[in-house]
Amino acid sequence: MSAQTLEMLIDRYCAAWNTQDAGERRTILKSVLVEDGLYVDPSVRTVGIEALAVHIDGVVARNTGARISRTGAVDAHHDVLRFAWNNRLASGNVLRQGIDFCMLAADGRFQSIVGFLEPTGT
């Protein structure tokens, strides 16, 4: 998969975190994650699109107006990749930042997403 295609996949994944519409979120997640895909970060472990969507629903509800963005180039080889991201509040202040490591499925969607958070300083 080309770097540009991977960037588009990641940016679409970030859009699932940014939409306020729960139905749209699920549609986006179906396009970027296999049905039994794994998502794990320090706060949660989910398996499947619906479980991840429910988790994101809660994050969005707690942080209205916050936006997650990829913050650099994608580093990829074979069927694995990593990318840095941040989550900015509507004020522009960074709420969280981190790096995600992902494995791709044969169809080009994510099989797994493993997130690591940078310390927040609080």
Side-chain angles (χ1 to χ4, degrees):
M1 209 178 259
S2 74
Q4 182 178 17
T5 302
L6 290 173
E7 287 177 353
M8 289 172 30
L9 176 69
I10 293 163
D11 292 346
R12 183 139 174 86
Y13 166 68
C14 291
W17 288 83
N18 293 334
T19 183
Q20 296 293 314
D21 184 282
E24 180 181 358
R25 176 173 303 109
R26 283 153 177 80
T27 298
I28 294 169
L29 288 175
K30 287 177 185 175
S31 75
V32 299
L33 182 69
V34 297
E35 186 61 40
D36 64 344
L38 170 71
Y39 174 86
V40 62
D41 71 24
S43 68
V44 69
R45 181 182 194 279
T46 69
V47 176
I49 292 167
E50 183 59 23
L52 177 54
V54 168
H55 170 66
I56 296 172
D57 291 344
V59 172
V60 168
R62 287 188 303 275
N63 301 294
T64 303
R67 298 196 53 82
I68 290 183
S69 302
R70 178 176 50 84
T71 58
V74 178
D75 186 18
H77 61 82
H78 300 88
D79 291 328
V80 296
L81 63 97
R82 66 180 176 171
F83 66 95
W85 55 269
N86 69 26
N87 188 357
R88 289 189 179 271
L89 298 169
S91 67
N93 293 334
V94 173
L95 175 66
R96 290 252 185 228
Q97 60 188 17
I99 188 165
D100 284 6
F101 296 85
C102 308
M103 292 194 72
L104 296 173
D107 68 2
R109 294 182 292 166
F110 295 125
Q111 178 66 52
S112 65
I113 303 164
V114 179
F116 287 84
L117 307 176
E118 294 291 327
T120 60
T122 56

